[in-house]
Amino acid sequence: MDQKLEKHFRERAVVLGNSGDSAALPELIDLTRSPAANVRRLAASAIGKLAGLAEAKVAVAALQPLLQDGSPQVRQYAAKALSAYGAEAKCALADLRDMAISPVEKEYNNNGAKLAIEIIEEASRIVERQAVHCCRRCGVKLEADEYTRSHKAFQRPFCNYCFDEVFLERRNFETKVQLQKNIRAKDGTWVQSDGERLICEVLHAERIRYRYDERFRILDGYAIRPDFYLPEFDVYIEYWGMDTADYKIGMLKKQQLYQQQGKRLVSLYPEDKPRMRDALLDKLGKYQ
């Protein structure tokens, strides 16, 4: 971008942010798409300054993708701006948590994300204390301690009776999952399929750190269990190893979830098994 034009857009973003005019939001959103990182950075900051004035849902939707921006300064300003929207930015908590613990992120962004999380969570708690919550399963009105207990455990509201039922269901599910891990990879990891074993062994041979079958929050209130997560690349790997109708429906929903949240996903299939190393490294290469 021409330097004079970039300077104009930078100054424009500052003016709009200081205007206190909610009508400035659409123009600022356009500026977040600028090819110049400094323009995107200042546009994010300006959107944060309009918190309480601009439509929060629209502002947060514009800021959240900037947490994945290629410029660390843009990510820094986006996190700070999101915190200004308090509970309205709750949908960005998953991405902020990823930023807070990412080993490849700048330290100041790790810390900035942690601060934003604290602010948003505290604002959310204040809103929740003022709200009326009902059990998701039976519909009964919840007491404050019931809501706190169930939300902490499941991120969903359940009365004490339904909480116990859900807890047992989840525990039985976890036990079933663990029992299905009956294949051992060379690095000692127990997995559920031969395809996952091959993935483990490729990652181990290539000295790529991974986490297997851990729960990661992708959308607020909705948790998924990716097969693999590579913290050095911030990449998720899913091995789609079944061919039933229900499984394929779940696969499509899960893939859509990754896409909606801008997550980096590598999908592998049974047909990749004969050349798993090449297939995995080829698909992973586009994120390096």
Side-chain angles (χ1 to χ4, degrees):
M1 177 181 286
D2 177 78
Q3 289 186 351
K4 289 184 178 179
L5 187 59
E6 179 182 336
K7 181 181 178 183
H8 166 74
F9 285 136
R10 291 201 311 267
E11 293 174 348
R12 181 62 178 163
V14 173
V15 169
L16 291 172
N18 292 332
S19 69
D21 185 358
S22 62
L25 182 59
E27 186 175 348
L28 285 169
I29 291 174
D30 286 340
L31 292 177
T32 65
R33 305 186 184 106
S34 168
N38 277 329
V39 175
R40 299 196 302 276
R41 172 178 64 86
L42 292 172
S45 176
I47 293 174
K49 292 178 181 178
L50 294 181
L53 301 170
E55 186 178 348
K57 186 175 181 180
V58 176
V60 169
L63 289 169
Q64 190 170 351
L66 297 180
L67 295 175
Q68 314 292 336
D69 194 274
S71 166
Q73 287 79 27
V74 174
R75 299 195 297 273
Q76 176 191 18
Y77 278 63
K80 185 176 181 180
L82 282 165
S83 70
Y85 285 86
E88 297 287 352
K90 196 175 178 181
C91 59
L93 281 173
D95 288 332
L96 287 167
R97 290 186 182 113
D98 287 345
M99 181 187 291
I101 64 173
S102 173
V104 297
E105 183 58 87
K106 299 289 186 182
E107 184 177 359
Y108 62 80
N109 275 344
N110 292 142
N111 295 332
K114 290 175 184 176
L115 179 59
I117 291 167
E118 291 177 8
I119 294 171
I120 294 169
E121 286 184 337
E122 178 58 25
S124 299
R125 282 191 288 270
I126 293 171
V127 171
E128 287 164 0
R129 284 195 292 267
Q130 298 170 345
V132 175
H133 298 284
C134 296
C135 177
R136 181 165 182 165
R137 179 168 285 197
C138 70
V140 68
K141 182 179 177 180
L142 300 185
E143 299 294 335
D145 61 332
E146 290 181 308
Y147 176 79
T148 301
R149 179 192 185 203
S150 64
H151 197 269
K152 182 178 180 181
F154 303 122
Q155 294 79 51
R156 291 172 173 82
F158 296 110
C159 66
N160 285 338
Y161 178 80
C162 292
F163 178 97
D164 293 339
E165 289 187 339
V166 173
F167 179 82
L168 289 173
E169 290 170 4
R170 294 289 181 91
R171 187 177 66 179
N172 291 340
F173 174 77
E174 293 291 337
T175 301
K176 182 179 178 181
V177 169
Q178 294 304 318
L179 290 174
Q180 289 175 342
K181 295 178 181 178
N182 54 12
I183 299 174
R184 190 172 187 269
K186 290 180 180 178
D187 65 353
T189 302
W190 289 92
V191 297
Q192 300 181 65
S193 69
D194 193 53
E196 291 179 343
R197 176 188 64 80
L198 292 172
I199 294 170
C200 283
E201 292 176 357
V202 171
L203 294 173
H204 181 68
E206 297 296 324
R207 300 182 182 275
I208 299 174
R209 292 191 300 114
Y210 68 88
R211 302 174 190 167
Y212 173 70
D213 195 38
E214 291 187 3
R215 177 166 293 180
F216 286 82
R217 183 79 58 77
I218 303 296
L219 284 176
D220 185 66
Y222 186 82
I224 67 168
R225 298 175 69 126
D227 292 333
F228 298 87
Y229 175 66
L230 313 184
E232 294 175 13
F233 297 86
D234 191 25
V235 167
Y236 299 84
I237 299 176
E238 293 284 2
Y239 178 70
W240 311 106
M242 297 177 66
D243 196 34
T244 65
D246 287 345
Y247 182 85
K248 287 184 175 180
I249 291 172
M251 177 185 75
L252 292 173
K253 287 182 178 179
K254 204 171 180 181
Q255 288 175 334
Q256 184 179 34
L257 180 62
Y258 282 114
Q259 185 178 17
Q260 287 174 345
Q261 294 301 300
K263 300 297 183 182
R264 298 173 167 186
L265 174 65
V266 168
S267 288
L268 295 165
Y269 304 89
E271 54 265 33
D272 293 317
K273 287 172 61 176
R275 50 181 298 275
M276 183 61 80
R277 180 182 181 278
D278 291 340
L280 173 53
L281 296 182
D282 285 349
K283 293 180 180 182
L284 189 58
K286 68 179 182 179
Y287 297 123
Q288 291 180 300

